[in-house]
Amino acid sequence: MLDQIKGLHHVTSMASDARRNNEFFTKKLGLRRVKKTVNFDAPDVYHLYYADEVGTPGSVMTYFPFPNIGKGRHGVGEVGTTVYSVPEGTLGYWEKRLADEGVAGLSREETFGEKRLAFAGPDGDGFALVEDKADGRAPWAKGGVPADEAIRGFHSVQLRLRDGGATEELLKFMGYQEVDKSGNVRRLAVKNGNGADIVDIESLPGAAFANLGAGSVHHVAFAVENRARQLEVRKALMDTGYQVTPVIDRDYFWAIYFRTPGGVLFEMATNEPGFDRDEDTAHLGEALKLPAQHQHLRPYLEQHLQKLED
């Protein structure tokens, strides 16, 4: 069993419109845009990052907004719900705020003894807020949401799978332990994590498979401290039979990827070097930052990428 993984690092999804996506996360949810860059493989498409003040691992939601992309079809083999942590007693505030903002899919529920507010993202993305009185992480306090109510970071992700057994074994190998179950959902958590410590597995035998598109999660990333620890994880996964990519420099972290038995794409991302490597913390997410190989495209990209509100 591995001990290098310390919870979630980021979740990356697909969107259909950059401006609407940016407005939803920065205005409606009150998160900070900590990076405005482009997709390494499609530089005419943004890669937008939303998080707490500094982009702490475990708080980072990222998006590829592909113009005119088709809508995703939800199903099994994907991250079905991305769950944020908020302080105890704040769901009433959030329910009113999101209703006033016209956010769709609002519903109250209780799972594993936790009060939750489910809602949909701008492309039908599955989200929820969970009250967590034990979450001591500091929020971004300048996003229009009072600090006492603001989002702390990720609480969990919920995977939808036809058969969760093999993925559950993988997570246990990654250092997670089963801590609870409710109906067809099993909850696993990693000890001594970064606060974004939980993965729920919902088993839906016979359900249709998801199709990737706007509103779909592309991959979920787990946090490791540094490149040395990442290489330990990579070797262990490959020794177990997983096909793992080489280490890829993503400017703000190093990444490796592999496909899980249930079909979800997992990434292992380093906490280093962080989002302040090319921007002062006070100005994160303001300027368009380009990977070195795409710097020559700056004049074209600055003219053709959709303008975003700050």
Side-chain angles (χ1 to χ4, degrees):
M1 187 175 75
L2 304 178
D3 63 1
Q4 297 92 337
I5 295 164
K6 302 302 180 184
L8 302 176
H9 187 284
H10 65 268
V11 176
T12 294
S13 293
M14 316 288 281
S16 60
D17 184 88
R19 187 176 294 142
R20 184 170 67 241
N21 184 262
N22 180 77
E23 192 271 342
F24 183 86
F25 286 92
T26 61
K27 306 301 183 187
K28 290 179 171 59
L29 296 189
L31 298 174
R32 186 182 194 187
R33 190 180 72 220
V34 294
K35 197 61 58 182
K36 180 171 66 171
T37 183
V38 296
N39 188 310
F40 273 78
D41 302 314
D44 57 339
V45 174
Y46 275 123
H47 193 179
L48 303 175
Y49 293 76
Y50 312 103
D52 63 6
E53 182 174 6
V54 298
T56 305
S59 75
V60 185
M61 189 79 210
T62 98
Y63 271 88
F64 301 133
F66 282 87
N68 305 314
I69 188 176
K71 189 174 179 61
R73 185 186 72 194
H74 294 309
V76 293
E78 68 172 354
V79 176
T81 309
T82 303
V83 185
Y84 282 110
S85 170
V86 295
E88 188 176 26
T90 63
L91 285 191
Y93 166 87
W94 279 103
E95 188 168 29
K96 182 179 187 307
R97 178 184 179 86
L98 297 181
D100 290 347
E101 292 281 359
V103 173
L106 288 170
S107 66
R108 290 273 199 133
E109 48 193 54
E110 188 163 326
T111 307
F112 295 110
E114 299 167 331
K115 295 178 180 178
R116 293 164 59 113
L117 177 66
F119 62 98
D123 288 296
D125 328 41
F127 286 104
L129 302 173
V130 167
E131 291 186 354
D132 185 353
K133 64 181 179 181
D135 192 340
R137 292 176 289 175
W140 170 236
K142 299 178 182 178
V145 178
D148 288 345
E149 283 87 20
I151 288 170
R152 268 44 188 171
F154 292 132
H155 170 274
S156 58
V157 291
Q158 182 162 319
L159 313 181
R160 282 196 295 248
L161 308 175
R162 273 194 174 176
D163 181 355
T167 300
E168 182 176 348
E169 289 305 309
L170 166 63
L171 284 164
K172 288 177 178 177
F173 178 71
M174 289 166 51
Y176 283 75
Q177 298 177 8
E178 184 175 322
V179 294
D180 208 347
K181 58 184 176 180
S182 176
N184 63 335
V185 180
R186 293 183 179 271
R187 168 159 289 187
L188 294 94
V190 65
K191 288 186 175 180
N192 304 314
N194 58 17
D197 304 333
I198 295 171
V199 177
D200 291 333
I201 298 177
E202 181 182 14
S203 295
L204 296 167
F209 283 99
N211 278 345
L212 189 67
S216 301
V217 171
H218 184 271
H219 63 267
V220 56
F222 295 83
V224 293
E225 183 180 359
N226 54 43
R227 297 181 71 185
R229 302 294 269 170
Q230 182 185 63
L231 289 174
E232 293 169 2
V233 173
R234 183 175 186 270
K235 181 179 186 303
L237 289 168
M238 293 182 70
D239 288 348
T240 309
Y242 286 97
Q243 301 296 311
V244 187
T245 68
V247 176
I248 302 171
D249 183 356
R250 295 303 193 196
D251 282 353
Y252 312 107
F253 47 86
W254 284 272
I256 57 175
Y257 304 86
F258 67 103
R259 189 71 62 177
T260 66
V264 180
L265 184 62
F266 276 10
E267 174 185 343
M268 303 292 160
T270 62
N271 291 348
E272 58 177 7
F275 293 97
D276 61 353
R277 68 173 294 272
D278 59 1
E279 274 182 309
D280 185 86
T281 299
H283 298 286
L284 289 179
E286 295 179 7
L288 176 64
K289 297 297 180 180
L290 299 178
Q293 64 267 40
H294 298 320
Q295 286 290 352
H296 68 287
L297 298 174
R298 180 173 291 278
Y300 170 82
L301 294 174
E302 288 183 341
Q303 182 178 355
H304 287 86
L305 285 172
Q306 190 177 31
K307 303 304 179 187
L308 304 179
E309 290 184 24
D310 293 329

